[in-house]
Amino acid sequence: MLSYLQILYSFTSDDITTTIIPITLFAVVAGPLCNIQRFFHVVFWIWLHLLHFNVANQIIDPQEDGKNKSSRPLPAGLISLEDAVILRWALIPICLAISAYYSIQVFGLSFVLTLFILFYNELKAHEHWISKNFITAVGYACFEIGSTLIAGKDMSRLEPTAISAIVLSLAVFTSTLHAQDFKDVEGDRLIGRRTLPIAFPNLARMSMMVALPLWSICLSRVWEMDTLCTLVFTGYAAMVGFRFMTCKTSQAARMSCKLYSLWFSVAHLLPAYWRYFHEAQAYSF
């Protein structure tokens, strides 16, 4: 049993800091989290659907992983391709059934995720940066909405603050998600995948240097942060954006991606700042 759990974990271990932690933090503060027991439901739902996506993605081209990400379960020999294919299709009813347990709305989001996972992988939408970015953004929105519904008191609807937070998060993610593609440029180029850093490298780097500080200022204004917090948050964003523009090696790209993930996680926590300092005052009028 432990070996099976290790295999499942290895499918998702690379995405803990880029997906599981930011979305969990977001759901906790946007929901907001109604009780501590619901926290574990949130993490499990996110992880299960991430597992669904990653298994589907990693069976498409195991040779790519063998060249660039040899620690993944297929190139590492932890699971055969045949068993991984079975797992990929078995996860569809599992995800849908578990989502239906929470609410029809969460089930609908799981169903949409299932369709977009199919488009992204089997229908090869991942091969061009336009379709890749669009489907990734929609999928990320489904992750955020579903996990936020599970975290809140009413799993059939979102609070107004949660809706605003999701719209802003989706806008930020859509305009900066190519940050995660810089570290994979060499491998993507080998298999002919045209991500934004490959198709327009200078534009992609410039966009990070501009977008991160601008979004930091915008989010600070929306969530009514004080001057000191705004300066620290924006200054850190400017530093990360400058790294993307000037540090161009594969190793530097991996570090920049980690720093971006930290910035994105903090951005996800900003609704908590507003709830703590301003929510009661806003609803008192």
Side-chain angles (χ1 to χ4, degrees), residues 79-151:
I79 186 173
S80 68
L81 180 59
E82 292 77 11
D83 288 342
V85 170
I86 294 172
L87 176 63
R88 182 262 183 275
W89 296 108
L91 281 167
I92 293 178
I94 293 173
C95 289
L96 292 174
I98 290 176
S99 298
Y101 166 78
Y102 295 111
S103 70
I104 187 63
Q105 288 78 10
V106 177
F107 171 83
L109 291 163
S110 181
F111 181 74
V112 172
L113 269 173
T114 298
L115 293 180
F116 276 84
I117 289 171
L118 179 67
F119 292 148
Y120 187 94
N121 295 293
E122 279 78 8
L123 299 183
K124 301 186 182 302
H126 63 274
E127 292 185 349
H128 194 279
W129 68 270
I130 295 178
S131 55
K132 177 181 184 294
N133 288 8
F134 171 73
I135 291 180
T136 302
V138 173
Y140 204 87
C142 290
F143 270 100
E144 288 192 337
I145 297 171
S147 59
T148 303
L149 284 171
I150 294 171

Side-chain angles (χ1 to χ4, degrees), residues 15-50 140 142-152 169 261 264-272:
D15 297 302
I16 292 176
T17 58
T18 59
T19 304
I20 295 178
I21 291 177
I23 297 179
T24 300
L25 292 175
F26 179 85
V28 167
V29 302
L33 187 69
C34 63
N35 58 61
I36 191 62
Q37 290 82 8
R38 202 70 69 81
F39 173 82
F40 300 101
H41 289 266
V42 169
V43 174
F44 177 71
W45 189 86
I46 295 169
W47 174 81
L48 183 65
H49 286 78
L50 179 63
Y140 204 87
C142 290
F143 270 100
E144 288 192 337
I145 297 171
S147 59
T148 303
L149 284 171
I150 294 171
S169 177
S261 296
F264 196 55
S265 295
V266 173
H268 276 59
L269 287 172
L270 297 185

Side-chain angles (χ1 to χ4, degrees), residues 271-280:
Y273 181 99
W274 185 86
R275 286 187 184 280
Y276 185 81
F277 290 104
H278 303 292
E279 184 175 37

Side-chain angles (χ1 to χ4, degrees), residues 141-272:
C142 290
F143 270 100
E144 288 192 337
I145 297 171
S147 59
T148 303
L149 284 171
I150 294 171
K153 292 181 180 179
D154 186 348
M155 289 186 281
S156 64
R157 66 181 183 88
L158 297 169
E159 293 186 357
T161 301
I163 295 173
S164 298
I166 288 170
V167 170
L168 284 169
S169 177
L170 180 59
V172 172
F173 184 72
T174 302
S175 59
T176 63
L177 64 89
H178 54 280
Q180 301 176 23
D181 292 328
F182 285 100
K183 67 182 189 301
D184 298 323
V185 164
E186 294 179 2
D188 289 339
R189 187 176 285 116
L190 285 174
I191 63 172
R193 182 181 293 161
R194 286 181 58 80
T195 59
L196 189 59
I198 292 175
F200 304 101
N202 293 330
L203 175 63
R205 293 186 182 280
M206 179 64 73
S207 68
M208 296 303 299
M209 190 173 71
V210 173
L212 295 186
L214 286 181
W215 273 122
S216 297
I217 295 171
C218 176
L219 293 173
S220 298
R221 297 274 295 179
V222 170
W223 300 119
E224 301 181 31
M225 293 170 61
D226 61 48
T227 303
L228 178 60
C229 292
T230 299
L231 289 175
V232 172
F233 185 51
T234 305
Y236 178 80
M239 182 272 291
V240 176
F242 184 74
R243 272 190 60 91
F244 276 107
M245 191 68 191
T246 59
C247 304
K248 301 181 180 181
T249 66
S250 297
Q251 184 176 0
R254 286 191 289 270
M255 177 55 68
S256 296
C257 183
K258 292 179 181 179
L259 296 174
Y260 164 81
S261 296
L262 177 59
W263 175 84
F264 196 55
S265 295
V266 173
H268 276 59
L269 287 172
L270 297 185

